[in-house]
C-alpha cells in the first residue's frame, strides 16, 4: 500500500469535532442515504458474544508464515504459503477456492500467474461481507534507509503475514457465531508486486473486483473490510481517510462498536490517506474500508519480523468485527 501525505485539514477538523464518530456531519450525503439501510441492523441492541480469538495461536501462525521466508507473488515461497493456507482451512473442514489470473507488471518482461484465495462461510446466503488481506510480500524492503539492504531477506510479518494469521485464527470460531450474513475470507495476491516507480498496484483486488462486476455484482456484498498491518506492537487504527470519504457509514458502524467495547486501538480520528486493496473494491461499487496501522515503524523494513508483532491489535480487531458482523441483518 502507499501513503498519500496530503492532509485534508477541513475534513480532519470536522471529524475531530464529532463527539461520537459519525453521529452528525458526513462527507458524503449520497453514500449515507444509500447505505443507511445496509447497516440498520447494527443499531439493534442485539446481545452477541465476540469470538474467543486465541492471540497466542494467531502469533504462532505469523511465525509459521514467516518460517517460509519471503512470499513474493509467483515464487516458491508464495507456493509454500498457499499450501500452508490450504492445509489449514481444509483441516477445519473448509474449502479454499482459487481465483487465478495472469498479471503483467509494467517494469517486468513477462506476465506471471497470480492467485487470490477465497474461503466461504454460509455459502447459501446471498447477502455477504468480505474480510480480506493481501498475502504476498514485497520484493524489496524499500523503507530501509540504506538501499544496500533493500534486497536482503524481508519477512514482512505484519505487512501481509498478520492478515493471513488473523483469518486463519478466526476460521476456528466462525461456526460458533450466529450470523445472518455470509462471510467470505479473501486473500489477495499481487499487492506488493512492485519493483519501481511507475509500476501498477493491486493486481489481486483489481482482478477480484473486475470478476465481481462481470458477475453482475453477485453475490450481494454489503461490506468489505480490509486488514493490513494489524499486529504491530502497540497497534493503533485511526480511520483511514479513503475509507472515511468513500464508505463513511461502514466506518461509523465499526468504530462505534469499537468505542462501545472500549477497544481503544481503534481511534476516533482521521489517519493517513492510504492507497490499498480497498480502493479497487470501492471503485467497483462496494462499501469497503481499510483497518490499518500505518504508523508501524517497521513497515517495508527488514525489522518487520514476528518479534515486532503482538497479538493485542488482532484481538481487538476480532472483538470488534465479530461483534459487528453478528449484529448485521
Ligand atoms: Zn506493504
Amino acid at each position: 500500500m502507499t501513503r498519500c501525505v496530503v492532509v485534508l485539514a477541513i475534513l480532519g477538523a470536522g471529524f475531530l469535532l464529532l463527539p461520537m464518530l459519525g453521529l452528525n456531519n458526513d462527507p458524503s450525503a449520497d453514500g449515507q442515504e444509500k447505505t443507511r439501510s445496509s447497516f440498520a441492523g447494527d443499531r439493534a441492541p442485539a446481545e452477541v458474544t465476540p469470538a474467543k480469538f486465541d492471540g497466542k495461536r494467531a502469533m504462532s501462525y505469523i511465525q509459521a508464515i514467516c518460517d517460509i521466508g519471503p512470499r513474493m507473488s509467483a515464487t516458491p515461497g508464495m507456493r509454500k504459503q498457499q499450501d500452508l493456507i490450504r492445509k489449514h482451512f481444509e483441516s477445519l473442514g473448509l474449502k479454499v477456492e482459487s481465483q487465478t489470473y495472469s498479471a503483467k507488471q509494467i517494469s517486468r518482461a513477462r506476465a506471471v500467474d497470480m492467485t487470490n484465495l477465497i474461503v466461504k462461510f454460509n455459502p447459501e446466503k446471498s447477502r455477504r461481507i468480505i474480510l480480506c488481506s493481501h498475502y504476498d510480500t514485497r520484493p524489496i524492503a524499500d523503507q530501509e534507509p540504506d538501499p544496500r539492504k533493500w534486497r536482503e531477506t524481508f519477512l514482512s510479518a505484519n505487512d501481509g503475514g498478520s492478515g493471513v494469521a488473523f483469518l486463519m485464527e478466526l476460521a476456528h470460531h466462525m461456526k460458533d457465531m450466529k450470523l445472518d450474513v455470509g462471510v467470505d475470507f479473501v486473500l489477495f495476491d499481487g499487492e506488493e508486486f512492485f519493483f519501481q516507480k511507475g509500476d501498477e498496484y493491486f493486481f489481486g483486488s483489481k482482478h477480484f473486483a473486475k470478476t465481481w462486476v462481470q458477475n453482475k455484482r453477485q453475490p450481494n456484498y454489503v461490506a468489505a473490510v480490509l486488514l493490513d498491518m494489524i499486529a504491530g506492537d502497540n497497534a493503533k487504527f485511526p480511520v483511514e481517510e479513503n475509507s472515511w470519504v468513500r464508505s463513511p457509514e461502514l466506518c461509523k458502524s465499526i468504530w462505534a462498536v469499537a468505542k462501545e467495547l472500549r477497544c481503544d486501538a481503534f481511534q476516533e480520528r482521521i489517519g493517513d490517506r492510504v492507497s490499498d486493496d480497498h480502493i479497487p473494491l470501492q471503485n467497483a461499487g462496494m462499501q469497503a474500508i481499510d483497518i490499518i496501522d500505518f504508523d508501524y515503524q517497521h513497515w517495508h523494513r527488514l525489522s518487520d519480523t514476528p518479534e515486532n508483532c503482538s497479538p493485542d491489535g488482532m484481538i481487538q480487531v476480532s472483538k470488534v468485527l465479530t461483534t459487528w458482523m453478528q449484529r448485521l441483518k
Side-chain angles (χ1 to χ4, degrees):
M1 70 302 302
T2 56
R3 182 196 329 236
C4 177
V5 289
V6 176
V7 177
L8 293 185
I10 298 166
L11 180 70
F15 187 86
L16 286 169
L17 292 173
L18 295 178
M20 163 71 199
L21 217 181
L23 293 186
N24 36 48
N25 176 4
D26 195 306
S28 150
D30 218 31
Q32 187 174 17
E33 271 316 299
K34 260 196 289 184
T35 56
R36 186 166 290 283
S37 59
S38 304
F39 302 110
D42 61 14
R43 287 176 176 79
E47 271 321 307
V48 296
T49 313
K52 292 183 174 53
F53 190 90
D54 184 339
K56 218 171 137 188
R57 188 165 57 186
M59 289 299 293
S60 78
Y61 294 146
I62 291 186
Q63 186 64 57
I65 292 162
C66 288
D67 285 347
I68 293 170
R71 304 164 309 279
M72 282 97 72
S73 301
T75 64
M78 172 49 98
R79 283 187 280 279
K80 277 187 197 158
Q81 180 180 216
Q82 287 162 342
D83 286 346
L84 180 150
I85 291 169
R86 236 171 244 293
K87 273 190 196 129
H88 175 78
F89 287 103
E90 284 170 4
S91 76
L92 296 172
L94 297 157
K95 219 167 83 189
V96 181
E97 289 176 24
S98 297
Q99 190 179 59
T100 55
Y101 48 97
S102 170
K104 167 75 179 71
Q105 184 54 281
I106 295 160
S107 66
R108 313 301 285 173
R110 284 186 200 86
V112 298
D113 289 335
M114 292 189 185
T115 306
N116 296 334
L117 298 177
I118 304 166
V119 181
K120 293 177 176 164
F121 300 87
N122 295 347
E124 73 288 354
K125 303 251 186 212
S126 61
R127 198 172 153 79
R128 312 189 63 77
I129 62 166
I130 294 174
L131 302 183
C132 53
S133 168
H134 75 88
Y135 74 121
D136 61 316
T137 61
R138 186 164 276 233
I140 45 173
D142 56 15
Q143 294 294 314
E144 278 293 338
D146 180 356
R148 285 171 300 186
K149 291 188 163 184
W150 285 12
R151 294 194 178 273
E152 290 178 24
T153 305
F154 173 42
L155 293 179
S156 217
N158 193 22
D159 188 1
S162 66
V164 182
F166 176 88
L167 295 176
M168 286 171 71
E169 171 56 25
L170 191 59
H172 288 279
H173 310 283
M174 293 298 288
K175 62 181 182 320
D176 304 325
M177 282 187 270
K178 290 189 190 72
L179 290 164
D180 287 330
V181 291
V183 181
D184 289 350
F185 289 180
V186 183
L187 295 171
F188 297 123
D189 202 345
E191 197 270 344
E192 300 279 18
F193 193 68
F194 188 89
F195 298 85
Q196 65 187 56
K197 211 167 163 232
D199 272 355
E200 199 185 324
Y201 281 101
F202 315 129
F203 289 95
S205 49
K206 279 179 180 168
H207 180 80
F208 183 87
K210 194 175 92 186
T211 307
W212 181 64
V213 170
Q214 283 168 348
N215 205 20
K216 300 194 167 59
R217 294 189 166 82
Q218 292 300 318
N220 175 19
Y221 286 127
V222 295
V225 179
L226 176 65
L227 307 165
D228 203 347
M229 298 200 285
I230 56 171
D233 238 345
N234 197 27
K236 293 284 176 276
F237 311 117
V239 181
E240 183 277 319
E241 196 178 296
N242 282 319
S243 305
W244 174 243
V245 170
R246 298 181 69 184
S247 300
E249 282 300 309
L250 182 52
C251 293
K252 287 177 198 172
S253 70
I254 289 177
W255 265 258
V257 172
K259 183 164 180 150
E260 176 195 330
L261 300 178
R262 298 194 171 85
C263 289
D264 58 6
F266 287 75
Q267 298 183 325
E268 272 189 274
R269 65 178 178 88
I270 298 276
D272 287 305
R273 175 153 41 129
V274 181
S275 287
D276 206 345
D277 282 317
H278 60 320
I279 304 293
L281 305 183
Q282 290 177 338
N283 290 345
M286 287 185 212
Q287 293 286 306
I289 65 159
D290 191 5
I291 298 178
I292 183 166
D293 172 21
F294 219 114
D295 288 329
Y296 181 59
Q297 53 180 319
H298 308 285
W299 175 60
H300 291 183
R301 291 188 172 192
L302 302 178
S303 54
D304 184 5
T305 57
E307 292 70 38
N308 287 318
C309 292
S310 127
D312 303 345
M314 292 190 286
I315 290 168
Q316 289 201 30
V317 170
S318 167
K319 208 170 165 188
V320 171
L321 289 185
T322 60
T323 301
W324 167 76
M325 66 197 206
Q326 289 182 89
R327 289 175 180 178
L328 287 175
K329 297 288 172 221

